[in-house]
Amino acid sequence: MLEQAIQHLDLSAHGLWFPITASLCLFILAFVLFKRKLTWRDFYITFSVVGFVGWLCDVIITRVFNVIDLGDPKVTGLGDILSYTFIPPSLSVLFLAYLTAKNKWVLSLLFCAGSLLIEYGMIKSGYMHLNGWFFIYSIVVYLLVYAFVLPWHIAFIK
């Protein structure tokens, strides 16, 4: 049983080091820096909501529409788990920790670029494979999330 569980972690996936490294670094940064402007409540709600939405997007984008594959497309491995559980929520917490009315657009563009770099790193490391998904889709999604959804989210929970 333990051997089967370890097999399903997809530990031999090409480029697995990238999602592990990105997830750990971003989570540590978010955990240390969120206190700049957010409360524990803000951190908890944001991390939970964005984590849930990340998993929901995983199901829709990778399972239903099959436009992205992470690692072995047949299993949900460690890289998938870390990528969807820690990268989007950590980026969201970091974004909200530095968001002000004056820097909204600059910060949105910076975080959009950072998210694109992470996506590019996942592709270049060999962990992510695109099956009909294009970078332009990612740009639109990231801009919408950073410029509109997250500012609304923090205003709603405050």
Side-chain angles (χ1 to χ4, degrees), residues 37-91:
K37 194 175 163 195
L38 303 176
T39 65
W40 278 104
R41 180 179 160 270
D42 300 335
F43 178 88
Y44 179 77
I45 292 171
T46 299
F47 212 88
S48 300
V49 168
V50 175
F52 170 74
V53 171
W55 276 99
L56 186 61
C57 289
D58 170 51
V59 169
I60 294 168
I61 292 170
T62 64
R63 308 291 184 241
V64 175
F65 293 113
N66 192 31
V67 293
I68 295 173
D69 288 329
L70 297 179
D72 182 348
K74 295 179 186 95
V75 297
T76 301
L78 180 64
D80 298 48
I81 293 167
L82 293 175
S83 294
Y84 288 106
T85 304
F86 293 106
I87 294 175
S90 297
L91 285 169

Side-chain angles (χ1 to χ4, degrees), residues 33-148:
L33 298 176
F34 83 91
K35 297 173 192 160
R36 183 176 189 277
K37 194 175 163 195
L38 303 176
T39 65
W40 278 104
R41 180 179 160 270
D42 300 335
F43 178 88
Y44 179 77
I45 292 171
T46 299
F47 212 88
S48 300
V49 168
V50 175
F52 170 74
V53 171
W55 276 99
L56 186 61
C57 289
D58 170 51
V59 169
I60 294 168
I61 292 170
T62 64
R63 308 291 184 241
V64 175
F65 293 113
N66 192 31
V67 293
I68 295 173
D69 288 329
L70 297 179
D72 182 348
K74 295 179 186 95
V75 297
T76 301
L78 180 64
D80 298 48
I81 293 167
L82 293 175
S83 294
Y84 288 106
T85 304
F86 293 106
I87 294 175
S90 297
L91 285 169
S92 298
V93 166
L94 286 167
F95 175 80
L96 293 174
Y98 288 92
L99 179 65
T100 65
K102 289 183 180 181
N103 73 1
K104 175 184 170 182
W105 288 104
V106 171
L107 200 64
S108 295
L109 291 172
L110 284 172
F111 271 79
C112 181
S115 297
L116 287 169
L117 282 173
I118 291 169
E119 188 174 322
Y120 183 74
M122 296 272 268
I123 293 167
K124 281 302 181 185
S125 71
Y127 192 72
M128 179 188 278
H129 304 280
L130 306 179
N131 304 324
W133 186 263
F134 300 100
F135 248 41
I136 191 72
Y137 301 158
S138 297
I139 293 168
V140 170
V141 169
Y142 296 145
L143 279 176
L144 286 173
V145 167
Y146 290 121
F148 301 106

